[in-house]
């Protein structure tokens, strides 16, 4: 069974049309790039602690923090559960996590940032909030 497009191939209503030639822009006319805020730098530095951590160490930190009432039960559950065997990154590529052991270094900061953004993209705000709490914990813990 063949499926034919409704519009002829090559004709798109979203195709951009060049209305006029753009004048040459000199580098001196461009505004300087805004520097990253200090809060963002602190957040990134805090996440770097969790960028290379073993699952065992993460569970230990989560347990200690939960016992000190620094995190709620949902955040503790998220941090202490094992990672799935596969995860999707921001580009849609599937990463194999099946070889991850308790003593293997893993980038938890990037994993949770990616999962948060994916949850927001699909509209699962409960999961996005859960991942946001984990990232907040990461930023406070360093």
């Amino acid at each position: 069974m063949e499926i034919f497009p409704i519009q002829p191939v090559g004709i798109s209503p979203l195709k951009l049309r060049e209305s006029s030639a753009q004048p040459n822009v000199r580098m001196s006319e461009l505004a300087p790039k805004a520097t990253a805020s200090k809060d963002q730098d602190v957040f990134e530095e805090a996440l770097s602690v969790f960028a290379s951590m073993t699952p065992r160490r993460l569970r230990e930190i989560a347990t200690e923090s939960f016992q000190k009432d620094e995190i709620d039960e949902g955040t503790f559950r998220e941090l202490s559960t094992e990672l799935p065997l596969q995860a999707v990154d921001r580009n849609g590529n599937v990463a194999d996590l099946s070889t991850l052991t308790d003593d293997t270094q893993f980038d938890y900061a990037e994993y949770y940032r990616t999962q948060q953004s994916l949850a927001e993209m699909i509209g699962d705000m409960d999961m996005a909030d859960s991942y946001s709490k984990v990232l907040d914990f990461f930023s406070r813990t360093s």
Side-chain angles (χ1 to χ4, degrees), residues 80-103:
S80 61
T81 5
E82 291 185 25
L83 293 172
L85 296 177
Q86 296 178 331
V88 178
D89 66 9
R90 293 178 194 203
N91 298 325
N93 300 320
V94 177
D96 180 23
L97 303 179
S98 64
T99 59
L100 189 66
T101 66
D102 273 353
D103 298 317

Side-chain angles (χ1 to χ4, degrees), residues 45-116:
E45 183 179 322
L47 290 182
S48 69
V49 172
F50 293 91
S52 182
M53 183 174 286
T54 64
R56 180 186 323 263
R57 181 66 185 136
L58 183 66
R59 282 193 305 271
E60 290 170 358
I61 292 172
T63 302
E64 292 169 9
S65 298
F66 182 66
Q67 290 171 349
K68 294 178 184 177
D69 289 329
E70 294 175 354
I71 58 174
D72 63 355
E73 186 178 343
T75 306
F76 171 71
R77 189 176 322 116
E78 189 64 47
L79 291 169
S80 61
T81 5
E82 291 185 25
L83 293 172
L85 296 177
Q86 296 178 331
V88 178
D89 66 9
R90 293 178 194 203
N91 298 325
N93 300 320
V94 177
D96 180 23
L97 303 179
S98 64
T99 59
L100 189 66
T101 66
D102 273 353
D103 298 317
T104 306
Q105 300 288 326
F106 184 72
D107 187 354
Y108 282 99
E110 181 60 28
Y111 172 76
Y112 283 111
R113 277 190 290 204
T114 301
Q115 295 309 306
Q116 180 192 23

Side-chain angles (χ1 to χ4, degrees), residues 11-43:
I11 298 176
S12 172
L14 299 176
K15 190 179 258 186
L16 297 175
R17 296 180 187 168
E18 189 175 324
S19 59
S20 64
Q22 296 290 330
N24 290 338
V25 177
R26 297 177 189 206
M27 291 299 287
S28 61
E29 295 172 1
L30 297 175
K33 184 178 178 182
T35 59
S37 70
K38 185 174 182 166
D39 292 339
Q40 184 66 22
D41 291 341
V42 170
F43 181 71

